[in-house]
Amino acid sequence: MFDIKAASEKVQRFVAGKTEADYMADELLQSAVERQFEIIGEAMSKLHKTDSGVAENITDYRKMIAFRNVLIHGYATIDPLIVWGVIESNLASLVEQVTVILESS
């Protein structure tokens, strides 16, 4: 669970102050963000195997695992706009949910 939070917070730091245009123009930033999403998905997969009840309390945990699989295995077809959309739409909620779980355990 800590790995999920740490990787999510790294993505937040990486993109702080960045725009979609900044992200699209920066291959290094894209690569760094994608790596952290791979870590999130892998850690979520392991969490689901070891404590499915906790994993299932995280919104869209299955999508996170699937996203990791796309990043790992479909690297030639990754659309940076989709990754940016995940950052904008889902990342803050994930950090919040994981923080609550960690604080309550």
Side-chain angles (χ1 to χ4, degrees):
M1 181 67 75
F2 178 77
D3 292 341
I4 296 167
K5 185 173 189 236
S8 298
E9 289 174 340
K10 283 181 185 179
V11 173
Q12 288 180 318
R13 286 194 307 274
F14 294 168
V15 302
K18 305 288 185 186
T19 65
E20 180 182 292
D22 295 333
Y23 184 75
M24 296 301 292
D26 190 337
E27 290 178 337
L28 183 61
L29 178 59
Q30 290 174 29
S31 182
V33 166
E34 290 168 11
R35 176 65 182 140
Q36 296 311 307
F37 276 123
E38 292 168 2
I39 291 168
I40 292 166
E42 183 65 22
M44 189 63 70
S45 177
K46 288 182 180 181
L47 176 62
H48 186 255
K49 290 175 185 167
T50 60
D51 194 342
S52 62
V54 172
E56 291 168 4
N57 284 322
I58 299 172
T59 305
D60 295 329
Y61 78 95
R62 288 185 192 276
K63 288 182 181 178
M64 289 179 222
I65 296 167
F67 190 49
R68 174 257 180 215
N69 292 336
V70 169
L71 292 170
I72 294 288
H73 301 293
Y75 60 89
T77 60
I78 296 169
D79 183 346
L81 284 175
I82 292 173
V83 177
W84 183 257
V86 171
I87 293 167
E88 289 191 321
S89 301
N90 305 93
L91 192 61
S93 174
L94 175 61
V95 171
E96 184 178 309
Q97 290 176 59
V98 170
T99 299
V100 167
I101 293 168
L102 286 170
E103 288 175 352
S104 68
S105 54

